Amino acid sequence: MSNEPLLPSSAPPRAAPPAPARANSRTSSDASSEQHQHDDDDDRIPVSSGGGGGGGGGGGGGGGDVAVPINRLTSVEWAEMGALVAETAAEYQPIAMPPDQQPEPRDDGSQSPLHPQQAAAPQDSRRRVGAAKYLRTSLYSLFFGSRINLLLVFVPVTFFCVAHNLPSNVIFTFSLLALVPLAERLGFVTEQLALYTNPTVGGLLNATFSNAPELIIVMVALRSGLVRIIQLSLLGSILGNLLLCLGSAFLAGGMVHRNLRFNKPAAQMNCGALMLAMSGLLFPNLLHATGTELHENGSELALSRLAAVLMLVAYFAYIYFQLFTHKDLFEGPDADGDGGGGLEGGAGEGEAEEEEQSVLGFWGGVFWLALVSALISVISDYLVNSVDGAAEEWGVPVSGLCVVVLPLVNNVTEHTSAILFGIRNKLDVSLSIAVGSSIQLAMFLIPLAVIGGWAIDVPMDLNFHRFETCTLFITVLATVLTLHEGSANWLKGLMFVLMYLILAATFFNHKEDYLEPQASVHAAPVVL
């Protein structure tokens, strides 16, 4: 009998000796796999070791749970684990629902998770909350998104003045004030719709609708046969954009920055487009002024219509060149590294600091675009019909109101944007607003008015008369010479602003005798 003391019965059993190595079945890959499994505790699961005793010593029955790698389980252990899972799942039975709340079967044989009444109530609630939130957000953005929206109060005031037959000068004044916020909101809605398109289409959409108020005024005046109102208002918009808008941007930017630079190749392309537009407006006037028409009045009108068609072709070619074939030419960096010398660098595209979020939605934008356009159309009708009476009551020439006052008020938001970008030394954006808008007016809107008059038998032509054509020629020439250098400063801006003031004073001393509605004139065939 050994003299070694016995272990107490409460002592833990000795650890079982390691299993003998299976030398014939193990390979080097198995050894590395087992080493990887020992490093990962997640691959071990507790399995009952049964009632087997330990090795050596008094054999108590303390088997316990042993962590065994999952890839070393035997078929018996897999069966025991499956039974345990089934037993655990049986303890959690679904709670029985009342018969009136049992889910109804779907068309495919499955059951809906909720009773129809229970499912519809949250959806209706969410729909009501979403609609209320959308209305609150969209209406706030439309009516309180800008301080200039305070002038929207003049929209009902204008309707009140027209309904009570107030004097023409009162209607003209309130119509002008009502058009300012409507034009700005039209640009906002257009930018919201542009968010649902790609950059190319969005830039073209912004550029097209930037002159939407002028287009609506043209349609209203064309319907009434007021050709001279169309010519003078569009002429005033071009003069204001090239001299006042661009000059103010140069002046404001030059007072903050010593030297202002912009994308010279894009500016030169814009100058070429301006010269083409100027030639289309110059030759019909020269034909009339020299008295060399083959058919009196008819040849002038026929030449205007042919030139209008060719200018439209040139404009669409210019758009294709700018947005597709030579897009990189108009994306040259400015002083701050921001591109934008073309249509995509408009007032709403220059600030790329943060991406703008849509608040109106697509169909909401379409609805507000139609509504604002309809309001502008009605207000423009009141404006056009009251301009002659307002000029007579104030004792000023109609040309002064159409060339200076009407375009200045109508484009106040564009001018403000161009000045702000000039202060930030982003002249490419300022040029896009001022020069790009002028190109669209001269090469698209004026020819479109000629084609529209042709369609409804109104003799709208490109003969703007000698005085107006000379002012436009001088303005385009000064712009081309300035932009050709590729740089600007505050002195150039001051010269442009002073030049505009001289022209404005000239039109307020210019007598206009061609305001009566134009009768239909037969256009002679053009001999090519």
Side-chain angles (χ1 to χ4, degrees):
M1 186 171 182
S2 176
N3 295 327
E4 185 178 358
L6 297 175
L7 292 174
S9 59
S10 60
R14 293 181 182 181
R22 290 175 291 180
N24 296 332
S25 60
R26 296 189 58 183
T27 62
S28 60
S29 60
D30 294 334
S32 60
S33 175
E34 180 179 354
Q35 179 66 26
H36 176 71
Q37 292 167 356
H38 278 285
D39 293 338
D40 191 358
D41 293 338
D42 292 339
D43 289 342
R44 296 173 175 269
I45 60 173
V47 178
S48 176
S49 62
D65 292 339
V66 180
V68 180
I70 191 171
N71 60 348
R72 296 175 61 180
L73 295 178
T74 64
S75 59
V76 176
E77 292 169 340
W78 275 111
E80 292 179 357
M81 186 171 63
L84 179 62
V85 171
E87 181 180 354
T88 305
E91 298 178 0
Y92 298 93
Q93 295 294 335
I95 301 175
M97 299 179 63
D100 58 340
Q101 296 184 7
Q102 291 290 337
E104 294 183 354
R106 296 174 177 171
D107 295 337
D108 56 357
S110 61
Q111 291 184 340
S112 59
L114 292 175
H115 191 268
Q117 295 179 355
Q118 295 175 333
Q123 292 179 3
D124 293 342
S125 177
R126 287 194 297 267
R127 189 178 295 111
R128 288 194 297 267
V129 173
K133 182 179 180 181
Y134 169 77
L135 288 176
R136 182 171 65 253
T137 304
S138 60
L139 292 178
Y140 180 84
S141 300
L142 280 168
F143 296 103
F144 302 100
S146 175
R147 294 180 180 179
I148 203 172
N149 290 346
L150 295 175
L151 297 178
L152 286 173
V153 69
F154 292 109
V155 174
V157 171
T158 302
F159 288 113
F160 176 83
C161 294
V162 173
H164 290 78
N165 271 335
L166 295 184
S168 297
N169 57 351
V170 177
I171 297 177
F172 180 82
T173 302
F174 287 127
S175 299
L176 273 180
L177 295 175
L179 279 178
V180 174
L182 290 177
E184 193 273 337
R185 289 294 87 185
L186 184 65
F188 169 75
V189 174
T190 304
E191 291 177 358
Q192 289 288 305
L193 284 176
L195 296 177
Y196 292 90
T197 61
N198 56 46
T200 299
V201 178
L204 184 60
L205 189 65
N206 283 323
T208 302
F209 280 91
S210 62
N211 291 316
E214 287 88 350
L215 176 62
I216 295 175
I217 292 177
V218 166
M219 295 171 57
V220 171
L222 197 62
R223 186 179 57 192
S224 302
L226 300 175
V227 173
R228 285 301 288 169
I229 298 294
I230 299 174
Q231 293 178 340
L232 292 176
S233 61
L234 295 179
L235 174 67
S237 295
I238 297 176
L239 296 180
N241 287 331
L242 294 181
L243 293 180
L244 182 61
C245 180
L246 190 58
S248 300
F250 286 170
L251 179 60
M255 295 178 67
V256 179
H257 308 278
R258 179 178 177 84
N259 294 316
L260 302 171
R261 304 197 64 84
F262 47 85
N263 188 355
K264 185 177 179 179
Q268 290 176 344
M269 291 302 305
N270 290 336
C271 291
L274 284 175
M275 292 302 296
L276 175 62
M278 185 66 245
S279 65
L281 299 176
L282 179 62
F283 293 135
N285 178 260
L286 288 177
L287 184 65
H288 177 78
T290 55
T292 56
E293 294 177 278
L294 185 62
H295 303 279
E296 185 178 359
N297 295 328
S299 297
E300 172 192 342
L301 183 59
L303 178 61
S304 298
R305 290 172 176 174
L306 175 63
V309 174
L310 297 179
M311 289 169 67
L312 284 177
V313 173
Y315 176 74
F316 289 116
Y318 168 78
I319 294 297
Y320 186 77
F321 177 87
Q322 181 174 342
L323 297 182
F324 296 99
T325 62
H326 291 71
K327 185 177 181 179
D328 56 332
L329 184 65
F330 294 86
E331 292 181 345
D334 58 10
D336 289 340
D338 298 322
L343 291 179
E344 296 185 33
E349 300 291 334
E351 297 177 336
E353 288 80 5
E354 60 181 32
E355 186 178 356
E356 187 178 0
Q357 299 293 329
S358 175
V359 295
L360 298 182
F362 178 77
W363 293 112
V366 171
F367 169 77
W368 287 110
L369 181 66
L371 181 61
V372 175
S373 300
L375 285 175
I376 292 178
S377 177
V378 176
I379 299 295
S380 299
D381 194 7
Y382 299 153
L383 182 70
V384 170
N385 293 329
S386 62
V387 60
D388 196 7
E392 184 178 354
E393 293 174 4
W394 284 335
V396 296
V398 177
S399 59
L401 295 181
C402 293
V403 176
V404 180
V405 178
L406 181 57
L408 183 61
V409 175
N410 213 15
N411 297 321
V412 62
T413 55
E414 291 186 359
H415 292 187
T416 304
S417 299
I419 294 173
L420 292 177
F421 284 115
I423 294 175
R424 299 173 187 174
N425 200 10
K426 296 182 179 180
L427 281 190
D428 284 330
V429 183
S430 299
L431 287 173
S432 175
I433 296 173
V435 182
S437 179
S438 300
I439 292 175
Q440 189 179 56
L441 288 170
M443 295 184 63
F444 177 71
L445 206 53
I446 292 178
L448 189 64
V450 175
I451 301 301
W454 189 4
I456 63 175
D457 203 18
V458 174
M460 171 69 191
D461 55 23
L462 298 178
N463 179 18
F464 279 40
H465 301 175
R466 280 173 290 183
F467 178 76
E468 290 81 2
T469 305
C470 287
T471 58
L472 183 60
F473 178 78
I474 295 173
T475 299
V476 172
L477 183 62
T479 304
V480 169
L481 292 177
T482 301
L483 297 182
H484 187 73
E485 299 178 359
S487 62
N489 49 56
W490 67 267
L491 183 59
K492 291 182 179 180
L494 180 62
M495 297 301 177
F496 270 38
V497 173
L498 295 179
M499 184 176 178
Y500 178 79
L501 295 178
I502 294 174
L503 285 179
T506 304
F507 277 102
F508 273 104
N509 290 277
H510 175 63
K511 183 180 179 181
E512 183 59 57
D513 296 327
Y514 304 95
L515 291 178
E516 296 298 326
Q518 300 294 313
S520 176
V521 177
H522 177 69
V526 178
V527 180
L528 299 178

